[in-house]
Every structure is written in structure tokens, then in C-alpha cells.
Amino acid sequence: MSNSLVDMMRMKDVRKKVLVTIGLLIVSRIGTVVPIPGIDPGILEAYFMSASQSTSIGFTEYLNFFSGGAFSNFSLFMLGVMPYISTQIIVQLLMLVVPSLKKLAQDPHGSKKIQQYTRLGTIVVCLIQSLAAAMYARTIPEAIVMNNVAFTLVAMVTVTAGSMFLVWLGDKITQYGVGNGISLLIFAGIVARMPSAFSTLISSIASGSLNWIAVVVVIVMYVFVVIMVVYEEKGMRKIPVKYAKRVVGNKMYQGGSNYIPFKINPSGVIPVIFASALLTFPLQIATSLAPNVGWLNSVANFLNPQGAPYLIIYTLLIIGFAFFYTQVSLNPDEIAKNIRDNGGTIPQCSNDNMEKYLRKVLNRIVLPGSLFLAFIALIPTLIQKLFSFPADVAMLFGGTSLIIMVGVCLETVRQLDSLMKMHHHDGFMTTGRKIKKI
């Protein structure tokens, strides 16, 4: 592993990608501590410090989880990239019901239009969420140092600009760095919360409010779940495909055999991120405006992140998005068409039933994979209910954070591994020795 890291930093283009990624992630973290104009940071810190004494996973802690602590700071990046993800979900769902949008997305030039629509939609979602955030800040009047109307307008503009800048950073990481930029920004936010969470854990043990035996049990369970998530991320079902001899022009192409690798969890961390983003939007609106609108108070209580209704909806959304994203990314009809066009067949399956067979296999794989994802996502609530863990610690000891961290780490390592193999190195998956050029 050490040899691989040394070799990686010796390769100019790989080193450049890694440094660009680290540099842009540092920029994203700096923005989380820069407060929006019109807010007194000291009063805010004191307010949220007193509110954090509660052991329930509240609204603020929930939003802090995805923004890396930026929400309680009322910083430029307080909304994170969640508005962008919410808009992506809306656009993808619209493509299912609007044929013209789906046709536009399939065109190479049309996909750029879809990206443009997504960004414009993100601005609208950001303005709505930033308005709700400003209304929430106004419930702490001593923290606001300017006129309420002026503060609301300034907050909407600066927070929207901050989220769009984060989306731009994510695009640049994807383009010039390593890994998926948006996922890495969420990953960085989760990792940034770890020091404070461990500090809370240690102080809770020292004060006697948390049993150290329970902590050991949770840590052992955490390690076991990490191992299970890694195996689940790497697990796959291989569908054998045989190709007959073909004549193309004046050339004869030999037949052969290959396989289609269907992962147990083809969508990775996407269902969890999508489900969280979709629930964050109404939760923030309802909670921020609840003091002023009576019925929104009921909605906010209904969507309490620790309540049964929220957990049921969250579980169903994860399962639903797992099936939805798998069908979008691995379309059985397109896969079957490509196999037939290249003269391939699947053993023990007729060509006419190939789509049906592939769809059946995918459904059988995705169902247990999505149920596993949903179970992992519910672990923080179980930890808190059974062992009385503090909210910020419980959210980091499993659940969404665990799935995102493991999934993003594995995907980033795969990309680094591919880059190193292009330079005739073994990468991280092997011993790190250089492959001799033939």
C-alpha cells in the first residue's frame, strides 16, 4: 500500500488530479465556517451549543450532517449540495412522464440542455430553501444584526450563490480531479464532523452518561457492518454471454464467451443520498415555517427524523430509488439489444425472452441489496434508542454516513487504481509492484 502511494505521487498527471481534488475540498470546507452577512456567529454558537444538549436527532443536527456543520454556522454553504440533488431527482422523474424530456436526454447535445435545466431548477430550490432558512434564523432575533427584510434578501442571495458555487466545485472535481465531485463533497462534510463527534463520545463516557461497555459493543458492530458494506459493494452476479463467429466485411471475427457483471447494489450510495435529499427539502420548509403556519407544525412533527413515519418513508424511498436508478443505469432492453446486435446469446435463455430474463435477474439482485441499504440507514436510530448515544455520534456510527463513506472510498480507489494501471502499475488492489513492459 505504501509503495502504491509513493508511485501514485510520482506520476505527474495522477498527482495533479489528487492535489486538485484535495485543494477544492479544502475550499469547500473553508466556506462552511464563513457566516452569511447579518448574523452574529457568537450568539449562534451559544444558541446551538445549548440546543445540542438534547439527545434527539433534531432538525438542525440532521441538516448539519449533510452540510458538514455548515447549517448551524449559517454559513455560505449552509444548504450544501442537497438542493442540486433534489433537483436532479425531480428532473429524472419528469423524464419518465414527459417523453420529450427523455428524448432530449438521449441526444448528446440534448443532455447539455438537461444539465442546464437542472442548474436553473437548483437555483429555484435554493431560493425556496434559503428563504426557509432565513425565516428559521429570524426565530433567534438576538443573532440578527440588520433589518429582517434586508437580512432575508441577503441570506437568499448569498446562500443560493454558495450552493451553486459548491455544485461548480463538484463539477471541477469530477472533471479535473479523482472521483465523483458531488459525492466527495458530501463525504468531506461527514468526515469533518468526526472529530467533534468523537469528542462528544469521550466526554459522555467520562461524565458517566454513556456506558463504556455499550460503546465497545457499538464499535464492534460498526466494524462488522463496515465489512458487510464492503462485501455488499463488491458482490456481483455474472451473467454468461456466448458470441458466435461473425463476418464483418472481409474479416472473420472469432466467437467467444464473456459475462455481464450485475452488482448486488448497482446504484451504490445513490438511493440513500436521493432519499435523504428528497426528505430534507420538505423537512426544512416545514420546520422553518412551523412557528408561523399552524398546519406546517403538524408536518414538521410528522417528519421528525427519529419518528416512525419518517423512518418508514425513508426506507420505502431507499428501496424505490434503488429499483428506479438501476432501471435507468442498467436498462435490460438496451443490454439485450446490444447482445443480439453483436451475435450473442445467454445460455438457457431464448433470444426472445432475453429482456424478461435480465429484468428478472436484476429485480432478484436489487431487492435484497436495497433492503440491506435500508437496514444500514436505520442503524443510527437503533443505536440511539438502544444505547442512548448522542445524536451527532449516532449519525456517524452507521447508517447513511457509513454507506456514503464506504461507497465513495471504494469508488475513488477504483478510479485511482485504473489511473495507475494506465501507467503500468498494479494500483491499490495488488501489491504495488510495477508491471514490466512487454
Side-chain angles (χ1 to χ4, degrees):
M1 180 70 176
S2 59
N3 290 338
S4 297
L5 289 173
V6 172
D7 290 339
M8 179 184 72
M9 298 309 292
R10 284 176 179 169
M11 291 176 273
K12 184 178 179 181
D13 58 335
V14 178
R15 182 175 67 247
K16 182 179 178 181
K17 285 177 175 291
V18 172
L19 293 178
V20 165
T21 302
I22 294 172
L24 293 180
L25 289 177
I26 291 173
V27 172
S28 73
R29 296 310 306 156
I30 293 174
T32 61
V33 295
V34 179
I36 60 177
I39 282 283
D40 187 326
I43 295 177
L44 265 184
E45 184 180 0
Y47 174 82
F48 285 115
M49 184 67 70
S50 61
S52 67
Q53 302 302 318
S54 171
T55 58
S56 64
I57 300 179
F59 159 71
T60 304
E61 187 58 42
Y62 181 80
L63 293 180
N64 263 338
F65 171 73
F66 291 105
S67 61
F71 188 85
S72 61
N73 295 332
F74 273 80
S75 70
L76 300 176
F77 298 162
M78 66 182 298
L79 296 181
V81 293
M82 283 310 184
Y84 177 69
I85 297 173
S86 300
T87 309
Q88 278 188 319
I89 299 169
I90 295 170
V91 171
Q92 290 192 16
L93 292 175
L94 284 174
M95 285 193 290
L96 293 178
V97 297
V98 182
S100 58
L101 273 180
K102 184 178 180 180
K103 186 178 180 181
L104 186 64
Q106 292 171 346
D107 184 85
H109 299 289
S111 59
K112 293 182 180 179
K113 277 285 185 183
I114 295 294
Q115 291 178 3
Q116 185 179 356
Y117 294 155
T118 304
R119 279 163 174 73
L120 291 174
T122 303
I123 294 175
V124 175
V125 174
C126 283
L127 289 172
I128 296 172
Q129 287 192 256
S130 59
L131 173 61
M135 297 292 289
Y136 178 69
R138 285 164 59 173
T139 61
I140 318 170
E142 60 273 15
I144 301 175
V145 295
M146 64 168 61
N147 178 271
N148 281 342
V149 176
F151 169 76
T152 301
L153 293 175
V154 169
M156 290 175 66
V157 172
T158 53
V159 170
T160 300
S163 289
M164 295 310 297
F165 179 71
L166 271 184
V167 172
W168 180 82
L169 279 183
D171 288 343
K172 294 306 173 186
I173 292 174
T174 303
Q175 186 176 358
Y176 299 110
V178 181
N180 182 287
I182 298 298
S183 298
L184 279 171
L185 290 173
I186 299 174
F187 171 84
I190 295 172
V191 173
R193 300 282 292 165
M194 283 184 152
S196 63
F198 282 118
S199 174
T200 303
L201 180 64
I202 293 170
S203 60
S204 298
I205 296 173
S207 64
S209 60
L210 203 59
N211 191 328
W212 67 269
I213 297 177
V215 175
V216 172
V217 171
V218 171
I219 291 175
V220 171
M221 183 176 68
Y222 177 80
V223 173
F224 175 74
V225 172
V226 168
I227 295 171
M228 293 297 294
V229 171
V230 171
Y231 271 100
E232 191 257 353
E233 287 287 330
K234 291 186 174 182
M236 65 175 64
R237 166 81 180 272
K238 296 180 179 180
I239 307 297
V241 180
K242 291 185 177 180
Y243 294 96
K245 291 182 179 180
R246 293 185 301 148
V247 178
V248 180
N250 296 325
K251 292 184 178 181
M252 169 72 75
Y253 289 88
Q254 292 293 329
S257 60
N258 206 334
Y259 64 87
I260 307 171
F262 282 162
K263 293 179 64 178
I264 295 177
N265 180 25
S267 50
V269 299
I270 298 298
V272 177
I273 296 176
F274 274 19
S276 301
L278 200 62
L279 282 174
T280 298
F281 183 61
L283 176 63
Q284 184 192 359
I285 303 298
T287 307
S288 300
L289 303 180
N292 303 317
V293 184
W295 64 272
L296 280 177
N297 190 41
S298 301
V299 174
N301 293 331
F302 181 78
L303 290 177
N304 176 16
Q306 207 179 3
Y310 175 90
L311 296 176
I312 293 172
I313 295 172
Y314 187 39
T315 301
L316 294 176
L317 283 175
I318 290 175
I319 296 172
F321 278 124
F323 278 93
F324 168 73
Y325 196 80
T326 300
Q327 291 296 323
V328 171
S329 58
L330 295 174
N331 192 324
D333 296 336
E334 292 182 3
I335 296 174
K337 182 178 181 298
N338 290 333
I339 293 174
R340 277 195 291 263
D341 291 345
N342 289 282
T345 58
I346 297 177
Q348 300 179 349
C349 175
S350 65
N351 280 359
D352 295 335
N353 293 326
M354 200 178 293
E355 292 89 349
K356 184 179 179 181
Y357 173 77
L358 292 174
R359 191 172 288 107
K360 181 180 179 182
V361 171
L362 270 177
N363 288 338
R364 286 184 173 181
I365 292 173
V366 173
L367 180 59
S370 62
L371 290 174
F372 179 77
L373 277 181
F375 170 73
I376 299 298
L378 297 179
I379 285 180
T381 303
L382 297 177
I383 290 176
Q384 196 178 12
K385 291 288 187 182
L386 296 176
F387 303 104
S388 301
F389 264 54
D392 53 347
V393 179
M395 293 190 76
L396 285 173
F397 266 81
T400 306
S401 62
L402 178 61
I403 298 170
I404 292 174
M405 285 191 293
V406 173
V408 173
C409 281
L410 288 175
E411 183 58 34
T412 305
V413 169
R414 285 192 198 104
Q415 287 200 23
L416 284 171
D417 196 62
S418 300
L419 288 171
M420 293 182 70
K421 285 178 179 178
M422 288 172 60
H423 291 77
H424 306 285
H425 286 261
D426 283 348
F428 293 96
M429 304 301 183
T430 54
T431 59
R433 297 176 310 219
K434 291 183 179 180
I435 300 173
K436 294 181 180 179
K437 295 182 181 180
I438 300 174

